[in-house]
Amino acid sequence: MTVNEMTKVIYDAIDDKIGQDISIINIGAVSSLCDYFVIATASSQRQVKAIADNVEDELTKLGIEPRGKEGYETQTWVLLDYGDVIVHIFNEEQRGFYNLEKLWKDAPYVDVDTLA
């Protein structure tokens, strides 16, 4: 599976659980950290967990396991590290506070329709 295909699966898994304001940022254009950040907002802690669980479940079906997981304890910001793609699921308050899009403002946005 290519990185673009994996990113599309992640996007769809987030969208399936009604994630809001889904952004795909091409971090690889400005850093060697990874290729993409996928960032989304959830309306509650329960939804943060549900979205993160759905992303993990969909990729596990494809034989892809996260290298790391953070934030399941608080469920205000869950990070799933898939190496080339890092997924950030925020509640509204945390997304505004950390504002990753502003932090990585030099990285271009990617339209999900160009991935697959």
Side-chain angles (χ1 to χ4, degrees), residues 86-104:
I86 298 177
V87 182
H88 302 271
I89 312 296
F90 289 100
N91 69 11
E92 292 174 9
E93 181 181 341
Q94 294 297 308
R95 184 160 182 183
F97 180 78
Y98 287 102
N99 200 353
L100 294 183
E101 290 93 341
K102 184 176 180 184
L103 181 66
W104 292 95

Side-chain angles (χ1 to χ4, degrees), residues 46-91:
R46 179 176 286 172
Q47 189 185 23
V48 169
K49 183 181 182 312
I51 292 170
D53 287 346
N54 199 47
V55 169
E56 193 171 357
D57 291 346
E58 291 301 314
L59 289 177
T60 296
K61 289 177 190 176
L62 300 171
I64 303 169
E65 297 296 329
R67 294 181 181 180
K69 298 187 279 188
E70 299 290 333
Y72 271 91
E73 305 78 33
T74 63
Q75 298 176 4
T76 58
W77 174 11
V78 173
L79 180 144
L80 300 171
D81 180 355
Y82 287 98
D84 293 325
V85 181
I86 298 177
V87 182
H88 302 271
I89 312 296
F90 289 100
N91 69 11

Side-chain angles (χ1 to χ4, degrees), residues 1-2 5 25 29 38 43 49 58 72 77 83 96 98 112:
M1 172 170 278
T2 69
E5 291 168 338
I25 302 174
V38 180
S43 60
K49 183 181 182 312
E58 291 301 314
Y72 271 91
W77 174 11
Y98 287 102
V112 68

